[in-house]
Amino acid sequence: MRAVLETLLDYAIDQELITSYDRIYARNRVLSLLKEESWEPTNDRISYHYVSDLLSPLCDYAVKKGIIEDTLRNRDAFDSEIMNCFVKRPSDLIETFYDKCKQDPQKATSYFYHMSVADNYIRKDRIDKNISYKAKTEYGTMDITINLSKPEKDPRDIAKAKSVVSTSYPQCVLCKECEGYHGNANCDGRSNHRVIPVTLDNDTWYLQYSPYVYYNEHCIVLSKSHTPMKTCRETFIRLFDFVKQFPHYFIGSNADLPIVGGSILSHDHFQGGNYNFAMADAKTYQTFDFENGVKASRLYWPLSVLRLSSSSTDELIDLAAHILQVWRDYSDPSIGVLAHTQNQPHNTITSIARCRNGQYELDLVFRNNRTDEEHPLGIFHPHEEVHHIKKENIGLIEVMGLAVLPARLKQEMNDMRDYLLYDKYTESIESHKKWLDTIQSKYDWKEDTVMINLQQEIATVFVEGLRHCGIFSLDEIGNEAFLKLIETVKGTFK
């Protein structure tokens, strides 16, 4: 245990979490957590790849001493407490961040991201388990990720949660009160978690990084208040306020309605990062002119996207707010769009802002969450024929061209491989069998290329699921309907 702890202290110094002056203090804080009152120095060190390789034996030691129960939740909470011994207090971190921001905003975010990885808030060992690849499609190169980084819940933790008195603190996993929180039965331990205040539309929001990063510097910007997602004019103002401060980042907002929104609708937030998605480079399909000088182009993309661009964010915001207002109450039964049924709203927008080549851009993705008997999960939601690959909601990340696919596919792809090569059937591929039979004739399936071809076909299914979410199809019917919407917008825009 002594060699492990001394190696961890070396790591913290190397990663600039602490300096050599902090070594004794940090060691003593960890010893306190381990309930050790004495220490014998050692020059021994151990090899490691991830910091988790050092934290795991310390958790083992805590389990052996009866300090924690040996469950994943308890171990995660405890190793977060250990890493918190090396993390700056929020005020010190914020001061450092904004000192760097004065020099270069990119230096500030790079620093904060590095700290979030180094202190193991972003658990790199788990992220690296994800299966990720790129696939060329007619719309551009999509990113495909099979998500293996979110561990399954321990049955003992689930059982314990039932017996624990319910608490409303923090109200959700996005609340700022999660900063430094040890955790409870319903909230993971986040002792090593830090957030940076940012001002958006004259109000305080908070910047943090996603613990399950799906792309480079995947950040979350959250409201200081636990208020529901709401897409409105202020949304666009906040997006551009953020982009002006951090022009190397894009930022987007999920839609604010179920089915077409993200997984958390109870807390207003955005997602952004330093990454270029396929949708950002999508081809222009149609162009439109508006009187205020904003350029508008419909993208060649499986979902229905209108890109607005201008050197003036005020002009963009005025037009975007008007488009949103029109769309909220817009109906076109010829393409299945009804704005309301039984007083329930159905129309909303997913929005993405960026600054590129001196121009501000705002992508407006038209969404509708209506359901019917044929499509009980959503008319403009992945249909049943693609559920064997993607059944979950199409949120902001998927909208832009990054598929987040379920962990079950890792094993199922191996079983699909055996079926395609050797006609070996297992129950795990039952949901895929009809699809597999249709693609079997497309290739000469060989051992050295089977997985490459299978990955491409999975990407094709993902794209088809995105098409299902597109309200205005890229054909004569969809073009006519889209033009009718644009004319409605133009006719009422002042």
Side-chain angles (χ1 to χ4, degrees), residues 302-330:
L303 286 95
S304 303
V305 187
L306 183 68
R307 174 168 295 164
L308 308 180
S309 62
S310 174
S311 59
S312 168
T313 57
D314 290 341
E315 302 290 349
L316 280 176
I317 291 165
D318 286 345
L319 180 55
H322 179 68
I323 291 171
L324 174 64
Q325 182 182 16
V326 170
W327 178 243
R328 289 287 195 191
D329 294 319
Y330 189 83

Side-chain angles (χ1 to χ4, degrees), residues 342-406:
Q342 299 178 341
N343 296 320
Q344 289 294 318
H346 296 302
N347 291 349
T348 184
I349 280 176
T350 300
S351 50
I352 303 101
R354 68 180 70 83
C355 182
R356 184 163 51 175
N357 300 323
Q359 293 282 304
Y360 292 102
E361 294 180 352
L362 184 64
D363 291 348
L364 303 178
V365 187
F366 297 97
R367 313 298 301 272
N368 177 287
N369 76 342
R370 198 163 68 85
T371 62
D372 61 14
E373 290 186 7
E374 183 181 0
H375 303 296
L377 297 183
I379 298 171
F380 302 103
H381 174 88
H383 295 170
E384 187 175 1
E385 62 262 32
V386 303
H387 287 179
H388 62 106
I389 298 296
K390 180 68 177 177
K391 183 179 181 180
E392 298 79 12
N393 291 356
I394 299 300
L396 173 69
I397 294 173
E398 288 93 352
V399 163
M400 295 185 291
L402 191 157
V404 181
L405 303 180

Side-chain angles (χ1 to χ4, degrees), residues 21 49 82 99 143 166 179 191 201 266 278 283 300 311 339-340 382 397 461:
Y21 295 114
H49 184 65
I82 292 174
D99 282 345
D143 293 290
S166 177
E179 184 179 42
S191 302
D201 192 21
S266 61
K283 297 176 182 177
Y300 188 74
S311 59
H340 300 84
I397 294 173
V461 174

Side-chain angles (χ1 to χ4, degrees), residues 461-481:
V461 174
F462 168 64
V463 169
E464 184 63 21
L466 294 185
R467 279 200 199 97
H468 296 162
C469 302
I471 295 172
F472 302 93
S473 54
L474 297 168
D475 56 21
E476 185 177 350
I477 294 175
N479 295 346
E480 184 178 332

Side-chain angles (χ1 to χ4, degrees), residues 153-160:
K153 292 185 177 181
D154 190 306
R156 291 169 295 179
D157 287 327
I158 296 172
K160 187 176 182 180

